[in-house]
Amino acid sequence: MNNTLLTDHREDFPLLKQFDAAYLDNAATSQKPQCVIDAEKNFYEKLNSNPLRGFYDLSLAATDAYENARESVRRFIGAKSTKEIIFTANATSAINLAAYSYGLSNIGSNDRIVVSIAEHHSNMLPWQMVAAKTGAELEYMKCGKQGEFSDEEIDRCITSNTRLVAIAAVSNVTGACAPIQKIIAAAHSFGAVVMLDGAQSVPHMKTDVQELDADFLAFSAHKMMGPMGVGVLYGKQELLEKMPPFLTGGEMIESVRLDGATYAQLPHKFEAGTVNAAGAAALDAAIKYYEKIGIDNMEQREQYLTKYAFDGLSQIPHVNIIGSSDSSNHTGILSFTIDGVHPHDVSAVLNDDKICIRAGHHCAQPLLAHLGVRSSSRASLMFYNTTEEIDKFLASVASVRKLMGYRE
Ligand code: PMP
């Protein structure tokens, strides 16, 4: 076995070093390496001042920390310019920015919005809102039982009057990768734009927005070892230039008159109010950590752990894995049900065995209804997980039905 597959880097994560439970809820939020925690602390200890405002050295240093983070994000996702990187509070606020600003001013009553049925509510409700306010038609692109999107379904949904397609690159329930290149090409052939939800993909695989020709991409720092309270909206410069501001107020203007205002240049036009510079500095540290370990190495180890967990889980009687029957299409996310046991009980049993997993609807109720499941349990992996943790998880899952009084 090669070194990449063997190295878990747990010594870099203070919580993991002293935590005696197995943390398998990485799709909800990831753990943070020491360098990320230090970067946030360092900002408040050494740089704290309001960035982008003061002309004194301390404020200029805070501004540098904030703008350096923007450059790191640009590099991480292969964007052309830092003007295309907007800092937000999280993926949800990034998608809402695009919906309120782009959606409400570019979509009309004769247009169609296509949203995949597999979306997290964060990439569904904003588009329901745009459809309700503009009178646009809302069409849901349906996946099959394994979470897959067929060419026929893509062609049925993306039509000449489609103006926007909302799709997650990786589902937070099935872990399946959507055929985003096909979807982007289909949307572009009709002049539509694509809102890619990268919340579950950007932390786990190389993402290059220019290669993808993505129009918008949203993701959260906290799922990629960065801090909570920071998200990113990537948008193509030519789209962002034409969009009106979403929030208005301080810092997003060139000048203000009593009868109106001239807005700031990109990206600041979309960053009203005091920004989360400490969080951005911590995200910068997380990106540098990715660059040090190598996202390809992390992905390779996650695939190895996923196959290990998938193979074990699929051998346990009465366990039903949601999504693909091929472990390589689960990208570290394994949702499952156990016959006759509520997922909340599964989670409680696992908690007693010191294993953290998620249970519920995963903020994707329409997808679960479409798949005929009311709620599920979900284990989600990151490269710092270990096969020992997975063994503990599998043993605990295997014990659940017996504990609930079933004989077999
Ligand atoms: N999209 C997907 C696919 C997600 O998994 C999540 C988080 N569960 C979000 C969007 C929303 O992320 P956040 O809560 O950080 O805004």
Side-chain angles (χ1 to χ4, degrees), residues 10-170:
R10 286 174 89 79
E11 69 284 1
D12 297 336
F13 294 81
L15 187 143
L16 295 176
K17 275 197 290 189
Q18 48 86 42
F19 194 50
D20 63 348
Y23 184 77
L24 305 180
D25 195 18
N26 295 287
T29 199
S30 63
Q31 296 304 330
K32 325 299 175 202
Q34 188 66 53
C35 59
V36 167
I37 298 164
D38 289 346
E40 180 129 3
K41 188 162 166 271
N42 181 65
F43 183 91
Y44 286 121
E45 283 180 355
K46 306 225 173 86
L47 302 172
N48 187 48
S49 54
N50 205 317
L52 306 161
R53 292 176 194 216
F55 290 104
Y56 49 92
D57 286 349
L58 191 64
S59 175
L60 295 174
T63 304
D64 279 350
Y66 185 62
E67 294 301 333
N68 289 344
R70 199 189 306 278
E71 165 56 22
S72 289
V73 173
R74 183 207 65 72
R75 191 173 68 243
F76 192 63
I77 60 167
K80 235 186 248 172
S81 161
T82 49
K83 291 182 178 164
E84 300 179 314
I85 308 299
I86 317 292
F87 282 122
T88 62
N90 44 44
T92 304
S93 58
I95 297 167
N96 273 275
L97 191 167
Y100 277 92
S101 174
Y102 183 86
L104 292 183
S105 44
N106 288 280
I107 296 173
S109 57
N110 296 323
D111 296 334
R112 171 182 275 201
I113 299 171
V114 175
V115 177
S116 111
I117 196 138
E119 292 318 283
H120 187 282
H121 299 157
S122 291
N123 199 24
M124 184 176 279
L125 299 188
W127 305 113
Q128 287 185 357
M129 177 280 295
V130 173
K133 280 191 190 294
T134 60
E137 176 197 10
L138 190 57
E139 181 65 52
Y140 288 102
M141 191 160 74
K142 318 266 191 333
C143 60
K145 280 278 171 218
Q146 308 225 350
E148 78 287 7
F149 292 94
S150 67
D151 290 354
E152 298 71 44
E153 182 63 2
I154 294 170
D155 291 343
R156 181 187 73 77
C157 293
I158 303 177
T159 49
S160 60
N161 65 336
T162 301
R163 293 276 63 81
L164 185 131
V165 180
I167 178 99
V170 169

Side-chain angles (χ1 to χ4, degrees), residues 116-397:
S116 111
I117 196 138
E119 292 318 283
H120 187 282
H121 299 157
S122 291
N123 199 24
M124 184 176 279
L125 299 188
W127 305 113
Q128 287 185 357
M129 177 280 295
V130 173
K133 280 191 190 294
T134 60
E137 176 197 10
L138 190 57
E139 181 65 52
Y140 288 102
M141 191 160 74
K142 318 266 191 333
C143 60
K145 280 278 171 218
Q146 308 225 350
E148 78 287 7
F149 292 94
S150 67
D151 290 354
E152 298 71 44
E153 182 63 2
I154 294 170
D155 291 343
R156 181 187 73 77
C157 293
I158 303 177
T159 49
S160 60
N161 65 336
T162 301
R163 293 276 63 81
L164 185 131
V165 180
I167 178 99
V170 169
S171 159
N172 66 312
V173 175
T174 65
C177 294
I180 52 175
Q181 261 163 324
K182 229 180 251 171
I183 290 168
I184 290 171
H188 288 177
S189 73
F190 294 115
V193 301
V194 176
M195 173 77 236
L196 260 190
D197 177 351
Q200 299 294 352
S201 61
V202 171
H204 302 284
M205 58 192 66
K206 178 104 198 78
T207 302
D208 186 314
V209 289
Q210 289 190 71
E211 213 172 280
L212 284 172
D213 200 14
D215 302 295
F216 295 109
L217 170 74
F219 56 99
S220 284
H222 70 91
K223 292 184 200 283
M224 52 181 286
M225 296 182 282
M228 294 187 181
V230 183
V232 173
L233 176 68
Y234 159 82
K236 276 184 183 159
Q237 188 173 340
E238 63 263 33
L239 295 172
L240 294 174
E241 294 281 10
K242 291 192 201 126
M243 285 159 53
F246 169 40
L247 299 174
T248 53
E251 259 329 295
M252 48 72 67
I253 49 93
E254 289 295 351
S255 64
V256 178
R257 306 168 304 280
L258 286 182
D259 63 348
T262 307
Y263 301 125
Q265 299 292 309
L266 289 175
H268 301 108
K269 177 170 85 171
F270 291 111
E271 294 179 356
T274 297
V275 298
N276 184 356
L283 172 59
D284 191 358
I287 290 173
K288 287 178 177 143
Y289 185 76
Y290 269 99
E291 290 169 342
K292 189 175 104 186
I293 309 283
I295 193 164
D296 293 343
N297 291 334
M298 294 174 181
E299 185 182 3
Q300 215 185 326
R301 185 170 154 88
E302 284 173 13
Q303 280 171 353
Y304 160 72
L305 294 171
T306 305
K307 180 165 175 13
Y308 188 86
F310 182 92
D311 289 349
L313 206 52
S314 40
Q315 278 164 30
I316 303 174
H318 300 287
V319 168
N320 317 295
I321 298 176
I322 297 172
S324 178
S325 53
D326 178 351
S327 66
S328 68
N329 210 10
H330 278 272
T331 60
I333 292 178
L334 293 169
S335 295
F336 60 96
T337 57
I338 300 182
D339 295 337
V341 188
H342 193 281
H344 286 169
D345 293 330
V346 176
S347 179
V349 170
L350 267 66
N351 184 48
D352 286 345
D353 287 339
K354 299 195 170 191
I355 297 154
C356 314
I357 61 160
R358 174 94 183 256
H361 54 64
H362 315 299
C363 301
Q365 288 181 0
L367 173 62
L368 289 198
H370 177 66
L371 296 174
V373 183
R374 228 180 306 153
S375 66
S376 78
S377 305
R378 181 186 72 187
S380 51
L381 305 166
M382 197 99 179
F383 69 97
Y384 47 61
N385 287 124
T386 64
T387 49
E388 290 76 21
E389 288 177 316
I390 295 170
D391 287 340
K392 257 174 78 176
F393 159 73
L394 295 171
S396 187
V397 170

